[in-house]
Structure formats: structure tokens, C-alpha cells
């Protein structure tokens, strides 16, 4: 299996299930590492996998009404998330196309981001 970077910016491709899972899991590990570095090293906060399971919480829902340090933390995490959300949407569109499913199902991925 060879990763093709063009998968990330084309709309009309298809991807099989194995590369979809491998790329998705790999990107999750990268994202977790980046989030962990931002939380622990830049903001001095704890970070674990639990933070992805318990969402939204009261802090993320009222993100712009937070004090400056909290707002900076959550806006930084949001900014870092955008490329990963884009990649997830594009790869899911490719996978839906390969599976012959309606492309509109991608909204379920967007809702989980």
C-alpha cells in the first residue's frame, strides 16, 4: 500500500477500506501527539485519550466566553484540528465513493469532528 498525497485534495477518487483505516489511524496518532504537545508543553495542561471521548464539555461549548488562557488553548486546538478535519472529510468521501454509498453520509464524519 502506497500513500498518494493527491488523495488529500481531489474529490473524485476512491480508496479501499484497508488504506482508509491505516491512514485514519495514523493521522489520529499524529493528531494526538500534536495535541499532547500543545496541551502539556505549551499550556501546561494534562492531555489523554479521554479528552477525545468526553466532548463537548462545558468549556468547549462556551469557548469564546472563557478567560484568555483557556480561550487561547481551545482556539489553538481548533486551529490545529482544521487540516485533520479536512483530511477526514476528503478520505471519507473517497471511501463512500468506493463503497457505492451516498456521499451525503459524510455529514456524520463532520458531526464527529
Amino acid at each position: 500500500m502506497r500513500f498518494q498525497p493527491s488523495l488529500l485534495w481531489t474529490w473524485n477518487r476512491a480508496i479501499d477500506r484497508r488504506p482508509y483505516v491505516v491512514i485514519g489511524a495514523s493521522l489520529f496518532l499524529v493528531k494526538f501527539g500534536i495535541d499532547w504537545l500543545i496541551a502539556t508543553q505549551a499550556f501546561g495542561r494534562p492531555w489523554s485519550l479521554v479528552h477525545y471521548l468526553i466532548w463537548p464539555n462545558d468549556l468547549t461549548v462556551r469557548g469564546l466566553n472563557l478567560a484568555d488562557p483557556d480561550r487561547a488553548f481551545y482556539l489553538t486546538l481548533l486551529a490545529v484540528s482544521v487540516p485533520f478535519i479536512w483530511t477526514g472529510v476528503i478520505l471519507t468521501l473517497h471511501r463512500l465513493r468506493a463503497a457505492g454509498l451516498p456521499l451525503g453520509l459524510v455529514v456524520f464524519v463532520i458531526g464527529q469532528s
Side-chain angles (χ1 to χ4, degrees), residues 15-79:
I15 188 171
D16 289 330
R17 101 187 86 181
R18 183 169 184 255
Y20 178 76
V21 169
V22 170
I23 293 169
S26 300
L27 288 174
F28 173 75
L29 291 174
V30 169
K31 176 73 168 76
F32 175 76
I34 292 170
D35 288 350
W36 183 86
L37 282 172
I38 289 170
T40 61
Q41 304 304 307
F43 289 93
R45 296 170 180 245
W47 195 257
S48 72
L49 294 175
V50 174
H51 289 91
Y52 297 107
L53 298 175
I54 303 173
W55 191 92
N57 62 23
D58 64 328
L59 291 177
T60 55
V61 171
R62 49 188 180 91
L64 296 177
N65 294 330
L66 297 173
D68 287 338
D70 291 332
R71 183 178 16 208
F73 174 65
Y74 285 107
L75 289 176
T76 301
L77 290 179
L78 176 63

